[in-house]
Amino acid sequence: MSNSRMSTVAQFVERFRGANNEGILLLVLAALVLVIGTLNPVFFSVSTLFSILRGVLVPLILALAVLIIMISGGIDVSFVAIAIFAGYTSVVIAQSGGGDPGLIVIILIALFFGLLLGAFNGFVISLFRLPTLIVSLGTQSLFKGILLAYVGSKYIANLPPSMDSVATTNILSIPQDQGVANLHVLVIPVAIILILVAWVLKKTMFGRAVYAIGGDMEAARRAGFPVVRTQFYIYMLAGALAAIGGFLHVTLGRAANPQDLVGNELDVLAAVVLGGASVFGGRGSVFGTVLGVLLIQVINNSLILAGVPTSWQRTAVGVLLLVGVGIQALSARRQSMKSHVTEDTEKE
């Protein structure tokens, strides 16, 4: 094979792999689907596809909140507490008036609380420069405590009619041998949010600032990026996305339970890390995150079909998270060694 052809193949492989190994993750996902479908033909059905799409709606939105913070160099575990706080509180306030204020008003209430709690995180982290993981662990307990003590601790089975109506609306229904496969309408707003976040990260100055702060905070400051202000906005945006995730969770579940979501951080964090976002900051993409969430969902679905107990499903996700972080650590060490070799060569 000539040198030019080898160079073309190498370029194609490099381009397919992607900046964050999205191509490799895509191949792993395709291989997993093929194996599961071969072992269990029921998996290759429209019902399963639509079920997986419905199942990833909430994790996708929550994963976007985690992704933005992780790219900026932080790790947040309070996003689930913000999500259920916003979702549950919006239902309580909507029902306190005795009527249905409408879907738009309920979403705005949820967004208000998401922005407020996200701003609190951003204020503490950006102004006092405290470790993000420790702060978010503290605020997670704080938000959950306030929710149970001052908003409510009761399970609400009857949502406002406008939310209940959305919960039962589908954009596509396909008859199957064992029932009807329904594609939920909330797929559309989630797809729009994914595109918007990808655009913000790739095409705007705010997105460049997020990557720059995650890559090297001091270098970003010297380059003229407003680090403190950007960090504050990052956590507000993450809070707003978490609130939307909470609203979707309550709507799809057709009930509001203040005990929901908290405890499911591991799945979302694992999906974002497997999607190529670096736990050291400065790297990550929306496409990779989508693939990571789909991978976790497909694994969980296949384990359910195989009759594997829930405890082992959690174990599998934990192992995947360790593998993802381990690969990143090895990659970072290899990159560091390459840099040292290059510097030594230049000195010689």
Side-chain angles (χ1 to χ4, degrees):
M1 188 179 289
S2 65
N3 289 336
S4 62
R5 184 171 294 181
M6 287 180 66
S7 174
T8 305
V9 172
Q11 285 178 3
F12 172 77
V13 171
E14 192 65 26
R15 186 176 297 176
F16 178 77
R17 194 179 71 174
N20 305 297
N21 296 322
E22 291 94 342
I24 296 174
L25 187 60
L26 185 61
L27 286 178
V28 171
L29 182 61
L32 184 65
V33 168
L34 195 62
V35 169
I36 296 169
T38 304
L39 295 174
N40 188 352
V42 176
F43 190 79
F44 284 139
S45 66
V46 179
S47 298
T48 304
L49 175 64
F50 286 178
S51 171
I52 289 175
L53 288 177
R54 182 187 172 104
V56 299
L57 293 177
V58 176
L60 271 177
I61 297 298
L62 296 179
L64 289 178
V66 174
L67 172 69
I68 294 170
I69 291 175
M70 201 173 281
I71 292 174
S72 74
I75 295 180
D76 182 15
V77 293
S78 68
F79 61 95
V80 283
I82 295 176
I84 197 60
F85 191 109
Y88 185 82
T89 306
S90 62
V91 172
V92 170
I93 293 176
Q95 290 187 330
S96 63
D100 181 4
L103 198 64
I104 301 298
V105 174
I106 298 172
I107 293 174
L108 289 176
I109 294 171
L111 280 174
F112 169 77
F113 284 104
L115 288 168
L116 184 67
L117 302 186
F120 183 79
N121 271 343
F123 176 76
V124 175
I125 289 169
S126 62
L127 202 64
F128 299 105
R129 299 185 181 180
L130 297 175
T132 54
L133 178 60
I134 303 301
V135 171
S136 61
L137 275 171
T139 53
Q140 182 191 65
S141 299
L142 176 67
F143 300 155
K144 184 75 183 290
I146 293 174
L147 175 65
L148 295 175
Y150 296 105
V151 181
S153 57
K154 294 180 180 175
Y155 179 89
I156 301 174
N158 298 316
L159 296 182
S162 57
M163 293 179 75
D164 216 27
S165 173
V166 172
T168 55
T169 302
N170 301 303
I171 53 172
L172 184 62
S173 296
I174 300 176
Q176 300 286 289
D177 293 338
Q178 298 177 340
V180 179
N182 295 313
L183 182 60
H184 202 274
V185 69
L186 289 177
V187 168
I188 295 175
V190 170
I192 292 172
I193 291 171
L194 286 171
I195 293 169
L196 277 175
V197 172
W199 177 78
V200 167
L201 287 175
K202 278 189 175 180
K203 302 293 184 183
T204 67
M205 188 58 73
F206 173 76
R208 294 189 188 98
V210 174
Y211 280 100
I213 291 171
D216 188 332
M217 188 179 293
E218 189 55 38
R221 185 177 286 109
R222 289 178 182 173
F225 288 109
V227 173
V228 174
R229 192 171 63 198
T230 303
Q231 279 189 318
F232 184 71
Y233 291 155
I234 286 170
Y235 284 90
M236 283 188 72
L237 177 59
L241 287 169
I244 294 171
F247 170 80
L248 295 180
H249 173 78
V250 171
T251 303
L252 289 169
R254 303 183 69 180
N257 183 359
Q259 304 291 349
D260 275 357
L261 286 178
V262 176
N264 293 326
E265 302 90 344
L266 183 64
D267 284 8
V268 179
L269 287 168
V272 176
V273 171
L274 288 172
S278 172
V279 292
F280 307 109
R283 202 156 58 84
S285 71
V286 171
F287 180 54
T289 299
V290 171
L291 293 176
V293 172
L294 283 172
L295 181 65
I296 296 291
Q297 187 67 22
V298 167
I299 289 173
N300 283 336
N301 265 40
S302 61
L303 292 177
I304 290 170
L305 287 174
V308 176
T310 308
S311 56
W312 282 107
Q313 294 175 29
R314 306 295 299 168
T315 305
V317 174
V319 170
L320 284 172
L321 179 59
L322 288 175
V323 170
V325 174
I327 290 173
Q328 287 186 9
L330 287 174
S331 176
R333 186 180 299 176
R334 188 176 299 173
Q335 193 66 34
S336 174
M337 289 176 68
K338 274 185 181 177
S339 301
H340 286 306
V341 169
T342 305
E343 286 175 4
D344 292 343
T345 307
E346 287 175 351
K347 285 177 183 176
E348 289 173 4

